[in-house]
Amino acid sequence: MKKGVVSVLLAMGFICGVVLGADVVEEKPAAVDAVLIVADFAFCKSVANREPVDKAELFAPEVGKVYFWTVITGAKEPAEVKHVWYYNNKKMFEISLPIKNPRHRTWSNKTIIPEWLGDWKVDVVDASGNVLKSAIFKIEKPK
């Protein structure tokens, strides 16, 4: 009788071990890539209370700093965008900015040397390298 009980227990242990040891794969729905959108943007002289101050697309050489303010929408989970600054088509600065909310305001700034006259561009780029928005401004001496 003991042999029979031991055999049954061993068999049950083997079956439970196989069942418990088996990898259970839960099928999850495929992740839907969040489509990030630049809902609003502005070049400005500063940012106060998360809003642009003194918006413009043309700045004097003595401006000191130019800010690029953006509203990013569509994030379903934390994401990241980059602001990539170009002067006369040469990359001057790049910064990664975390996006933590479905509607998120973020900004970056670039110190402007008075000799850097001409065309500037900022690209907003997602984590996959897609350009979400390109915006231009100009540094020009007053006429």
Side-chain angles (χ1 to χ4, degrees):
M1 174 104 169
K2 285 185 183 180
K3 282 186 181 180
V5 171
V6 171
S7 296
V8 169
L9 289 175
L10 284 174
M12 287 178 63
F14 176 75
I15 292 169
C16 289
V18 170
V19 172
L20 293 177
D23 288 335
V24 177
V25 179
E26 263 186 57
E27 200 168 313
K28 295 180 181 177
V32 177
D33 289 335
V35 177
L36 299 178
I37 296 167
V38 179
D40 197 6
F41 67 94
F43 292 105
C44 53
K45 291 184 179 179
S46 66
V47 175
N49 297 319
R50 305 185 58 79
E51 293 295 330
V53 175
D54 294 331
K55 294 181 193 179
E57 293 178 2
L58 179 63
F59 297 91
E62 299 78 25
V63 68
K65 285 185 181 181
V66 173
Y67 288 76
F68 186 58
W69 173 89
T70 53
V71 176
I72 308 295
T73 61
K76 294 184 177 20
E77 57 188 45
E80 182 177 278
V81 297
K82 291 181 182 178
H83 283 179
V84 185
W85 293 70
Y86 296 90
Y87 170 58
N88 288 332
N89 295 315
K90 178 184 173 198
K91 186 193 293 188
M92 300 293 283
F93 178 62
E94 178 178 312
I95 185 166
S96 296
L97 302 164
I99 306 301
K100 299 178 181 177
N101 304 301
R103 182 183 183 280
H104 191 94
R105 293 174 287 186
T106 191
W107 57 90
S108 62
N109 67 70
K110 178 74 182 103
T111 299
I112 304 295
I113 296 173
E115 292 78 30
W116 288 344
L117 299 174
D119 297 325
W120 285 80
K121 175 177 83 164
V122 179
D123 286 343
V124 181
V125 181
D126 70 12
S128 298
N130 301 309
V131 176
L132 304 175
K133 175 65 80 180
S134 286
I136 57 171
F137 71 96
K138 192 171 210 159
I139 302 295
E140 190 175 277
K141 290 182 181 179
K143 295 179 182 179

